[in-house]
């Protein structure tokens, strides 16, 4: 059989892109990931290489200078980047989501002004929904935008922004009193533009500093404080007439994000398997390689099967979105299975390494700290189960 996580039906262009990215991961990411991760150092050289490859414009239309590729291509690229180092995929993930939101929901002016610079990586995007007292319950956000003539004044505090410092545009969900019956109709998405960096990066907009994390290092995760940030109504995603549409726009982006998290989980799982299967053939106990012991061989079999299942669900969710179909249930299934299986596959690889797996010299130690993030990113497993069950009950309603 072929190696794990192969995808049938890809075009020659897709195959070429993935081959290039895989080679880049092998040569430019994996050899440096351990040092950069342990130092919590921003991977500037790696990102420069990604800019040269055009990866920041992967899904942006060719008319804006991008490659115009599909969500499936994007997901498979993320899978390969995550196989190298998950933090790299995190840097491009929020950028891709913001580019997608602008492409799908932005005004003509927003598209023409922002997408060409996003395609080159000159402008990078960040995505902000969560707040200090709000996790998966988006309806509970407190940050607010109040109209003043043809401007809005934003106040509040946002949390868990990947790319919070290095980004130049942040898609930000806040409350706006539109008079809608539903709380979800009283939310709007603003494209907040700022200078890259920490501190007050635009009038009233402050990025305080990095949040220290167990894993997912190298890429910065930040808070954002909005204190009287004044923007024109044209800063609303899609323009002034899209006020109150923010929640629905963001949920469209989240479906893309959940496919991304599934792809990240597949990438980490693949790398964990590669490390485990290599170690199991090199390390000998009781006179023979670990892989010859049935207990270890069965672990490898289960790990490979889980990777195949997760990859298949991820590919299906991406292809549904590319076909213009709603994929909230399928994206939830992919994210749920891939993240849970990733945690299991990484732990089995850790066990196969024995005591060496606990050493920082071995790559599996890093994966053990990275995998848990995927269980909560873009919605916890419990949230995915809620989405899936609601969708199934609608489909099978008596």
């Amino acid at each position: 059989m072929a190696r794990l996580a192969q995808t049938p039906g890809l075009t020659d262009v897709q195959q070429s892109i993935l081959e290039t990215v895989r080679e880049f991961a092998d040569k430019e990411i994996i050899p440096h990931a351990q040092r950069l991760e342990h130092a919590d150092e921003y991977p500037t050289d790696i990102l420069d290489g990604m800019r040269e490859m055009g990866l920041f414009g992967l899904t942006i239309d060719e008319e804006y200078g991008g490659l115009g590729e599909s969500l499936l291509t994007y997901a498979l690229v993320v899978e390969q980047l995550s196989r190298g180092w998950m933090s790299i995929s995190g840097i491009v993930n929020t950028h891709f989501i913001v580019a997608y939101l602008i492409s799908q929901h932005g005004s003509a002016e927003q598209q023409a002004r922002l997408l060409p610079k996003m395609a080159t990586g000159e402008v990078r995007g960040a995505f902000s929904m969560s707040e200090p007292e709000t996790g998966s319950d988006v309806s509970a956000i407190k940050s607010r935008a109040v109209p003043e003539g043809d401007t809005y004044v934003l106040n509040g505090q946002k949390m868990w922004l990947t790319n919070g410092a290095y980004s130049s545009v942040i898609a930000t969900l806040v409350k706006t009193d539109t008079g809608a019956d539903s709380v979800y109709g009283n939310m709007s998405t603003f494209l907040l533009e700022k200078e890259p960096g920490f501190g007050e990066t635009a009038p009233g907009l402050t990025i305080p500093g990095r949040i220290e994390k167990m894993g997912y290092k190298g890429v910065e995760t930040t808070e954002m404080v909005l204190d009287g940030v004044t923007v024109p109504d044209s800063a609303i995603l899609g323009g002034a007439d899209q006020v109150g549409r923010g929640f629905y726009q963001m949920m469209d982006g989240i479906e893309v994000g959940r496919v991304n998290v599934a792809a990240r989980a597949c990438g980490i799982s693949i790398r964990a398997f590669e490390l485990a299967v290599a170690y199991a053939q090199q390390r000998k106990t009781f006179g023979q390689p670990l892989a010859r012991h049935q207990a270890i061989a069965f672990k490898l079999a289960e790990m490979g099967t889980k990777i195949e299942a997760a990859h298949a669900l991820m590919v299906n969710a991406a292809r549904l979105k590319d076909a213009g179909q709603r994929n909230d249930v399928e994206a939830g299934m992919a994210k749920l299975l891939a993240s849970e299986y990733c945690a299991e596959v990484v732990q089995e690889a850790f066990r196969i390494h024995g005591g060496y797996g606990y050493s920082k010299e071995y790559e599996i130690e890093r994966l053990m700290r990275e995998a848990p993030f995927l269980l909560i990113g873009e919605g916890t497993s419990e949230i995915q189960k809620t989405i899936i069950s609601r969708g199934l009950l609608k489909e099978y309603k008596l």
Side-chain angles (χ1 to χ4, degrees), residues 4 265-281 283 290 295-304 306-307 340-359 362-369 371:
L4 294 173
C266 289
I268 292 178
S269 297
I270 292 167
R271 185 59 182 161
F273 179 85
E274 290 173 347
L275 295 171
V277 76
Y279 186 83
Q281 293 175 82
R283 177 80 161 90
L290 285 176
I296 302 301
F298 280 10
K299 285 183 185 293
L300 295 172
E302 292 174 359
M303 292 161 69
K306 289 175 179 178
I307 290 169
E340 293 287 349
Y341 275 179
C342 177
E344 294 172 15
V345 167
V346 169
Q347 187 173 87
E348 291 293 9
F350 172 78
R351 291 175 187 234
I352 288 171
H353 279 76
Y356 288 106
Y358 209 64
S359 167
Y362 281 73
E363 198 174 333
I364 191 63
E365 179 271 340
R366 169 169 60 83
L367 302 188
M368 278 290 289
R369 290 183 288 104

Side-chain angles (χ1 to χ4, degrees), residues 27 106 258 289 317 344 349:
K27 293 182 178 180
R258 284 176 179 147
E344 294 172 15

Side-chain angles (χ1 to χ4, degrees), residues 230-343:
T230 302
V231 294
D233 56 14
S234 59
I236 296 172
L237 179 62
D241 62 347
Q242 293 300 301
V243 65
R245 294 293 304 165
F247 174 80
Y248 308 102
Q249 294 167 340
M250 285 291 207
M251 289 303 104
D252 187 23
I254 282 291
E255 288 181 11
V256 173
R258 284 176 179 147
V259 173
N260 168 278
V261 172
R264 284 200 239 182
C266 289
I268 292 178
S269 297
I270 292 167
R271 185 59 182 161
F273 179 85
E274 290 173 347
L275 295 171
V277 76
Y279 186 83
Q281 293 175 82
Q282 295 164 2
R283 177 80 161 90
K284 291 184 178 180
T285 61
F286 303 103
Q288 60 181 343
L290 285 176
R292 298 292 297 274
H293 294 287
Q294 189 179 70
I296 302 301
F298 280 10
K299 285 183 185 293
L300 295 172
E302 292 174 359
M303 292 161 69
T305 302
K306 289 175 179 178
I307 290 169
E308 284 291 285
H311 177 83
L313 279 185
M314 180 270 289
V315 168
N316 179 59
R319 282 182 161 151
L320 281 174
K321 192 76 170 177
D322 283 334
Q325 299 181 38
R326 185 170 179 175
N327 78 335
D328 55 338
V329 170
E330 290 80 4
M333 287 179 170
K335 194 274 179 186
L336 171 65
L337 194 78
S339 61
E340 293 287 349
Y341 275 179
C342 177

Side-chain angles (χ1 to χ4, degrees), residues 102-383:
I102 295 172
S103 297
Q104 294 297 314
H105 305 287
S107 66
E109 184 276 331
Q110 290 167 347
Q111 293 169 352
R113 182 167 54 83
L114 293 171
L115 290 179
K117 293 181 179 181
M118 296 186 76
T120 63
E122 177 185 350
V123 167
R124 296 179 191 168
F127 179 85
S128 178
M129 288 200 309
S130 188
E131 298 186 359
E133 297 180 14
T134 303
S136 298
D137 182 11
V138 181
S139 67
I141 65 172
K142 297 178 181 178
S143 297
R144 187 171 298 276
V146 177
E148 288 189 4
D150 58 357
T151 67
Y152 278 84
V153 179
L154 282 70
N155 288 283
Q157 185 178 4
K158 308 298 284 187
M159 193 72 173
W160 306 117
L161 280 74
T162 301
N163 293 334
Y166 284 91
S167 60
S168 299
V169 57
I170 303 177
T172 307
L173 186 68
V174 296
K175 288 279 182 67
T176 47
D177 292 326
T178 62
D181 293 335
S182 168
V183 64
Y184 300 109
N186 287 287
M187 298 183 187
S188 300
T189 299
F190 284 79
L191 298 176
L192 301 182
E193 298 179 52
K194 68 176 188 66
E195 292 298 317
F198 294 97
E200 189 172 10
T201 56
L205 191 158
T206 300
I207 304 296
R210 298 161 67 106
I211 298 171
E212 296 295 327
K213 309 183 297 288
M214 176 177 76
Y216 198 29
K217 296 178 179 290
V219 55
E220 84 281 10
T221 304
T222 74
E223 298 176 61
M224 178 172 65
V225 178
L226 306 173
D227 185 11
V229 177
T230 302
V231 294
D233 56 14
S234 59
I236 296 172
L237 179 62
D241 62 347
Q242 293 300 301
V243 65
R245 294 293 304 165
F247 174 80
Y248 308 102
Q249 294 167 340
M250 285 291 207
M251 289 303 104
D252 187 23
I254 282 291
E255 288 181 11
V256 173
R258 284 176 179 147
V259 173
N260 168 278
V261 172
R264 284 200 239 182
C266 289
I268 292 178
S269 297
I270 292 167
R271 185 59 182 161
F273 179 85
E274 290 173 347
L275 295 171
V277 76
Y279 186 83
Q281 293 175 82
Q282 295 164 2
R283 177 80 161 90
K284 291 184 178 180
T285 61
F286 303 103
Q288 60 181 343
L290 285 176
R292 298 292 297 274
H293 294 287
Q294 189 179 70
I296 302 301
F298 280 10
K299 285 183 185 293
L300 295 172
E302 292 174 359
M303 292 161 69
T305 302
K306 289 175 179 178
I307 290 169
E308 284 291 285
H311 177 83
L313 279 185
M314 180 270 289
V315 168
N316 179 59
R319 282 182 161 151
L320 281 174
K321 192 76 170 177
D322 283 334
Q325 299 181 38
R326 185 170 179 175
N327 78 335
D328 55 338
V329 170
E330 290 80 4
M333 287 179 170
K335 194 274 179 186
L336 171 65
L337 194 78
S339 61
E340 293 287 349
Y341 275 179
C342 177
E344 294 172 15
V345 167
V346 169
Q347 187 173 87
E348 291 293 9
F350 172 78
R351 291 175 187 234
I352 288 171
H353 279 76
Y356 288 106
Y358 209 64
S359 167
K360 284 193 173 185
E361 294 182 19
Y362 281 73
E363 198 174 333
I364 191 63
E365 179 271 340
R366 169 169 60 83
L367 302 188
M368 278 290 289
R369 290 183 288 104
E370 291 177 338
F373 169 74
L374 300 175
L375 296 171
I376 55 177
E378 306 291 8
T380 63
S381 291
E382 289 72 26
I383 289 295

